[in-house]
């Protein structure tokens, strides 16, 4: 039996969980400024801290509710999920603090979005919850921050444009990232937990998030790049992108889910890869080489307990992050090139102002939640489509249009 959800039966449209964290505080500010007419609440484990955040965000947050719920208190999380149409979570590391909340959302047919990049944890959500969420029409959509909206939504827009313009499925997309910004303590804590739990070893599987039977015969051909090269399509030296092992898995799951749904844009042998852009000339080549080597050394070092302890001692703590000036002066750009089976080429771009891990991520996750709460009938797959989904398969053109309205650039937009 499908779970019945009605806005008249629930107290809130959206609950912001983890609202006192670094990104969580920014989501509260975004809702205070842009969610007029939406019934929303702040949630976390400390009523006092939640009240402080609500007051700091001014009149726009005055009407927001407050819900106290610890991440390990199943009863409180159950009560929280039953009160809202959508849960937006920024409370990581998600492998430590997210599983019970997602389970509560699935139980109550409450849609869910988060900003995780912890794909081994997402694999566990798929295994535990996809079948029931699909049956009930509940959308569980992780990875709705900078990981992995630009890659996933951008790739889908390019593939869709190829299909609409040329009538051919897209067989490959590659993406090239440029960005400027800072790192918050929550992101670092998630990465540290991934290393300590051994989950990082699962990242070696290029099709970690794919449905059973949807990976190609030779998955090694889709392995993450480890060396720099000069790419003619981007007219630049490119190298491995640190979030590639997250984003590529999400994009590949999108292609598999849309193919299973009967959507046309992705070809049967679709491939996706992404890189970090370094620029042109010998200095760019040297930088690409240095960063590629440094990433390899750094990943190996972080498997050592002493290296992780030193990193924690020197880095920003959870709840802290870049200065307002750093976040405001940041930016990101994701360029994409898609190709059809006959060689037709389509270019795309997802770009925006503001630090990608904080300012942009805030827009991505907030607009994802609002898409679920306010536009259910317009979502891809129809109002009853559900499962553990991806930004493109679960939110699609609705999210793309909301992000454009929020000031971001998304091209091509032919859907």
């Amino acid at each position: 039996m499908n779970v019945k959800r009605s806005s008249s039966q629930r107290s809130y449209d959206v609950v912001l969980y983890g609202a006192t964290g670094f990104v969580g505080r920014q989501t509260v500010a975004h809702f205070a400024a842009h969610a007029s007419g939406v019934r929303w609440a702040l949630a976390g484990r400390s009523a006092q801290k939640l009240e402080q955040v609500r007051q700091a965000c001014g009149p726009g947050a005055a009407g927001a509710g407050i819900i106290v719920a610890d991440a390990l208190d199943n009863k409180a999380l159950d009560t929280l999920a039953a009160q809202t149409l959508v849960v937006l979570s920024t409370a990581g590391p998600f492998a430590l603090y997210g599983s019970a909340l997602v389970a509560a959302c699935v139980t109550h047919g409450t849609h869910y979005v988060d900003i995780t990049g912890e794909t081994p944890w997402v694999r566990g959500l798929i295994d535990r919850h996809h079948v029931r969420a699909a049956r009930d029409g509940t959308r569980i959509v992780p990875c709705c921050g900078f990981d992995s909206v630009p890659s996933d939504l951008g790739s889908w827009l390019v593939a869709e444009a190829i299909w609409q313009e040329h009538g051919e499925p897209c067989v490959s997309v590659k993406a090239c990232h440029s960005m400027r910004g800072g790192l918050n303590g929550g992101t670092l804590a998630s990465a540290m937990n991934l290393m300590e739990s051994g989950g990082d070893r699962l990242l070696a599987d290029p099709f970690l998030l794919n449905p059973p039977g949807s990976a190609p015969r030779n998955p090694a051909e889709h392995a993450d790049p480890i060396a720099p090269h000069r790419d003619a399509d981007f007219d630049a030296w490119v190298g491995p992108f640190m979030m590639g092992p997250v984003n590529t898995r999400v994009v590949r799951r999108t292609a598999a889910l849309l193919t299973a749904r009967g959507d046309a844009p992705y070809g049967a042998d679709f491939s996706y890869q992404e890189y970090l852009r370094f620029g042109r000339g010998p200095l760019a080549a040297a930088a690409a080489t240095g960063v590629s080597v440094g990433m390899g050394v750094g990943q190996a070092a972080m498997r050592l307990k002493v290296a992780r302890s030193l990193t924690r001692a020197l880095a920003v703590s959870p709840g802290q992050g870049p200065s307002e000036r750093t976040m405001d002066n940041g930016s990101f750009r994701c360029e994409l090139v898609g190709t059809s089976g006959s060689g037709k080429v389509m270019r795309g771009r997802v770009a925006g102002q503001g630090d990608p891990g904080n300012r942009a991520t805030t827009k991505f996750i907030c607009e994802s939640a609002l898409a679920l709460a306010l536009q259910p009938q317009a979502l891809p797959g129809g109002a009853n489509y559900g499962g553990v989904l991806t930004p493109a398969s679960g939110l699609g053109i609705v999210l793309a249009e909301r992000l454009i309205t929020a000031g971001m650039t998304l091209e091509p937009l032919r859907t």
Side-chain angles (χ1 to χ4, degrees), residues 47-68:
Q48 181 181 5
K49 290 182 179 179
L50 290 168
E51 180 59 39
Q52 290 172 351
V53 171
R54 182 170 65 176
Q55 291 183 8
C57 289
I66 286 180
I67 300 173
V68 178

Short mmCIF file of all heavy atoms in Angstrom, two decimals, residues 47-68:
data_model
loop_
_atom_site.label_atom_id
_atom_site.label_comp_id
_atom_site.label_asym_id
_atom_site.label_seq_id
_atom_site.Cartn_x
_atom_site.Cartn_y
_atom_site.Cartn_z
N ALA A 47 17.73 22.61 21.56
CA ALA A 47 16.71 23.64 21.40
C ALA A 47 17.31 25.03 21.52
O ALA A 47 16.94 25.95 20.78
CB ALA A 47 15.61 23.44 22.44
N GLN A 48 18.26 25.21 22.44
CA GLN A 48 18.87 26.51 22.63
C GLN A 48 19.63 26.97 21.39
O GLN A 48 19.49 28.11 20.94
CB GLN A 48 19.83 26.47 23.83
CG GLN A 48 20.50 27.80 24.12
CD GLN A 48 21.45 27.71 25.31
OE1 GLN A 48 21.69 26.64 25.86
NE2 GLN A 48 21.99 28.85 25.72
N LYS A 49 20.41 26.08 20.80
CA LYS A 49 21.17 26.46 19.61
C LYS A 49 20.26 26.70 18.41
O LYS A 49 20.49 27.59 17.60
CB LYS A 49 22.20 25.38 19.29
CG LYS A 49 23.34 25.30 20.29
CD LYS A 49 24.36 24.24 19.89
CE LYS A 49 25.51 24.20 20.88
NZ LYS A 49 26.51 23.14 20.50
N LEU A 50 19.19 25.91 18.31
CA LEU A 50 18.24 26.12 17.23
C LEU A 50 17.57 27.49 17.35
O LEU A 50 17.39 28.20 16.34
CB LEU A 50 17.17 25.02 17.24
CG LEU A 50 17.65 23.62 16.84
CD1 LEU A 50 16.60 22.58 17.18
CD2 LEU A 50 17.99 23.57 15.35
N GLU A 51 17.23 27.87 18.56
CA GLU A 51 16.62 29.19 18.78
C GLU A 51 17.59 30.30 18.43
O GLU A 51 17.21 31.32 17.84
CB GLU A 51 16.15 29.31 20.23
CG GLU A 51 15.51 30.65 20.57
CD GLU A 51 14.30 30.96 19.72
OE1 GLU A 51 13.52 30.04 19.42
OE2 GLU A 51 14.13 32.14 19.32
N GLN A 52 18.85 30.12 18.75
CA GLN A 52 19.87 31.13 18.41
C GLN A 52 19.99 31.30 16.90
O GLN A 52 20.10 32.43 16.39
CB GLN A 52 21.21 30.73 19.02
CG GLN A 52 21.28 30.85 20.53
CD GLN A 52 22.55 30.26 21.12
OE1 GLN A 52 23.33 29.61 20.42
NE2 GLN A 52 22.76 30.47 22.42
N VAL A 53 19.98 30.19 16.17
CA VAL A 53 20.06 30.26 14.71
C VAL A 53 18.82 30.94 14.14
O VAL A 53 18.91 31.79 13.24
CB VAL A 53 20.23 28.85 14.10
CG1 VAL A 53 20.10 28.89 12.58
CG2 VAL A 53 21.57 28.27 14.50
N ARG A 54 17.66 30.59 14.66
CA ARG A 54 16.42 31.21 14.17
C ARG A 54 16.43 32.71 14.39
O ARG A 54 16.09 33.49 13.47
CB ARG A 54 15.21 30.58 14.87
CG ARG A 54 13.88 31.14 14.38
CD ARG A 54 12.68 30.37 14.88
NE ARG A 54 12.52 30.44 16.32
CZ ARG A 54 11.51 29.90 17.00
NH1 ARG A 54 10.56 29.22 16.33
NH2 ARG A 54 11.43 30.00 18.30
N GLN A 55 16.85 33.17 15.55
CA GLN A 55 16.90 34.60 15.83
C GLN A 55 17.93 35.30 14.96
O GLN A 55 17.71 36.42 14.48
CB GLN A 55 17.20 34.82 17.30
CG GLN A 55 16.07 34.42 18.24
CD GLN A 55 16.38 34.73 19.69
OE1 GLN A 55 17.36 35.38 20.02
NE2 GLN A 55 15.52 34.25 20.60
N ALA A 56 19.07 34.63 14.70
CA ALA A 56 20.12 35.26 13.90
C ALA A 56 19.70 35.48 12.46
O ALA A 56 20.25 36.35 11.78
CB ALA A 56 21.37 34.38 13.94
N CYS A 57 18.71 34.72 11.98
CA CYS A 57 18.28 34.84 10.59
C CYS A 57 17.15 35.84 10.39
O CYS A 57 16.64 35.98 9.27
CB CYS A 57 17.90 33.47 10.04
SG CYS A 57 19.34 32.39 9.81
N GLY A 58 16.75 36.54 11.43
CA GLY A 58 15.86 37.67 11.29
C GLY A 58 14.40 37.35 11.10
O GLY A 58 13.96 36.21 11.31
N PRO A 59 13.63 38.34 10.66
CA PRO A 59 12.17 38.20 10.56
C PRO A 59 11.72 37.06 9.66
O PRO A 59 10.68 36.44 9.91
CB PRO A 59 11.72 39.55 10.00
CG PRO A 59 12.81 40.51 10.36
CD PRO A 59 14.07 39.72 10.32
N GLY A 60 12.49 36.77 8.61
CA GLY A 60 12.09 35.70 7.69
C GLY A 60 12.05 34.33 8.31
O GLY A 60 11.39 33.42 7.80
N ALA A 61 12.75 34.17 9.44
CA ALA A 61 12.77 32.88 10.13
C ALA A 61 11.88 32.87 11.37
O ALA A 61 11.77 31.83 12.03
CB ALA A 61 14.20 32.52 10.53
N ALA A 62 11.25 33.97 11.67
CA ALA A 62 10.50 34.08 12.93
C ALA A 62 9.38 33.06 13.04
O ALA A 62 9.06 32.58 14.13
CB ALA A 62 9.95 35.50 13.07
N GLY A 63 8.76 32.73 11.92
CA GLY A 63 7.64 31.79 11.94
C GLY A 63 8.04 30.34 11.82
O GLY A 63 7.17 29.46 11.83
N ALA A 64 9.32 30.07 11.70
CA ALA A 64 9.79 28.68 11.56
C ALA A 64 9.65 27.93 12.88
O ALA A 64 9.88 28.49 13.95
CB ALA A 64 11.24 28.67 11.10
N GLY A 65 9.28 26.67 12.77
CA GLY A 65 9.17 25.86 13.97
C GLY A 65 10.53 25.35 14.43
O GLY A 65 11.54 25.50 13.74
N ILE A 66 10.56 24.76 15.60
CA ILE A 66 11.77 24.15 16.15
C ILE A 66 11.44 22.73 16.60
O ILE A 66 10.45 22.51 17.32
CB ILE A 66 12.34 24.97 17.32
CG1 ILE A 66 13.00 26.24 16.79
CG2 ILE A 66 13.34 24.14 18.13
CD1 ILE A 66 13.60 27.12 17.86
N ILE A 67 12.23 21.77 16.14
CA ILE A 67 12.03 20.37 16.50
C ILE A 67 13.34 19.84 17.06
O ILE A 67 14.39 19.92 16.42
CB ILE A 67 11.63 19.53 15.27
CG1 ILE A 67 10.33 20.05 14.66
CG2 ILE A 67 11.51 18.06 15.64
CD1 ILE A 67 9.95 19.37 13.36
N VAL A 68 13.29 19.30 18.27
CA VAL A 68 14.47 18.73 18.90
C VAL A 68 14.49 17.23 18.62
O VAL A 68 13.54 16.51 18.95
CB VAL A 68 14.48 18.99 20.42
CG1 VAL A 68 15.69 18.33 21.06
CG2 VAL A 68 14.47 20.50 20.69
#
